[in-house]
Amino acid sequence: MTSSSQRYDRLSEFFERQGLLSSAAEVHGLLTGMVAGGASVTGDEWLLLLSDLIHEGQPFSSEVKDQVKELAGEACASLRDPDLGFQLLLPGDHEPLYERLQALTAWVQSFLVGFGVNQTNLAGLSAGLREAIDDMVEIAKLEIEVEDDEDAERAYFEIMEYLRISAMLCFNELGQDGNGECKTNKTLH
């Protein structure tokens, strides 16, 4: 089994080789935001939108299509996991904190873009979810100045955990149908 940091590295290298403009964290954040916001990831329409966002509107190769379909399916399955198994796809703990913070910021920025695909009016959301989205917006604006110490590491893990829980909150409120499955019938805007 591949560790999440090895998977992050492998996917980032794969996307770079394929000429995509986004890192594994950005692609995962975007897909997670789409799924959590209730966008359908069935059929091919969502792939066209994703291509616009991360590949300058160019068609994906069959390898990239397969990989992003797999990532979207995994995001859906892990967000539905009753054991709260959803994890952000980020560099491993062995990477410098600055690089992990950059990826974390890119993940949340991309999540918000993906979430915004289907959720443009936040007024109808629960107060808790509106607060989580507002917090995500603030986290996305973070200036990255890092002191590599224990307090900074702790803060990184607390922010990462908050984002993980917030993504699951979004999915629980908007991304699943009455049977606990990922929504598949919403049209992307």
Side-chain angles (χ1 to χ4, degrees):
M1 185 168 184
T2 306
S3 76
S4 83
S5 65
Q6 290 171 323
R7 184 153 192 250
Y8 175 85
D9 293 340
R10 184 179 55 77
L11 284 172
S12 288
E13 290 168 10
F14 171 78
F15 290 142
E16 188 175 326
R17 276 194 318 273
Q18 296 292 324
L20 269 68
L21 304 173
S22 300
S23 70
E26 291 167 314
V27 174
H28 187 258
L30 191 58
L31 290 171
T32 302
M34 289 170 67
V35 170
S40 173
V41 288
T42 59
D44 286 334
E45 188 176 342
W46 71 276
L47 289 167
L48 296 172
L49 172 69
L50 189 65
S51 170
D52 285 345
L53 295 171
I54 66 172
H55 199 48
E56 297 181 330
Q58 299 301 310
F60 289 133
S61 67
S62 60
E63 295 89 358
V64 172
K65 275 185 188 179
D66 291 345
Q67 188 62 68
V68 296
K69 284 179 179 180
E70 180 181 322
L71 269 176
E74 289 170 4
C76 183
S78 64
L79 286 165
R80 284 188 0 239
D81 182 1
D83 296 325
L84 308 178
F86 173 75
Q87 297 294 325
L88 282 62
L89 185 59
L90 298 170
D93 299 343
H94 62 282
E95 297 296 338
L97 182 59
Y98 180 79
E99 288 179 27
R100 289 182 283 144
L101 279 169
Q102 279 186 310
L104 182 74
T105 302
W107 187 95
V108 72
Q109 289 168 346
S110 298
F111 177 92
L112 290 167
V113 170
F115 183 79
V117 163
N118 238 34
Q119 300 298 327
T120 55
N121 181 2
L122 302 182
L125 305 180
S126 70
L129 184 52
R130 278 196 315 273
E131 181 180 346
I133 295 296
D134 289 345
D135 289 345
M136 288 176 140
V137 168
E138 292 306 311
I139 292 168
K141 295 178 191 175
L142 285 178
E143 294 289 326
I144 301 175
E145 293 178 23
V146 174
E147 291 183 30
D148 254 332
D149 64 12
E150 200 172 303
D151 289 340
E153 284 286 339
R154 189 176 312 108
Y156 169 80
F157 283 107
E158 287 174 4
I159 292 169
M160 186 173 61
E161 182 65 7
Y162 182 79
L163 292 174
R164 185 178 85 84
I165 298 298
S166 296
M168 289 186 292
L169 177 66
C170 290
F171 177 76
N172 287 335
E173 188 166 320
L174 301 167
Q176 58 187 336
D177 62 22
N179 299 320
E181 299 293 321
C182 292
K183 289 187 177 176
T184 59
N185 59 351
K186 282 200 171 179
T187 302
L188 300 176
H189 300 260

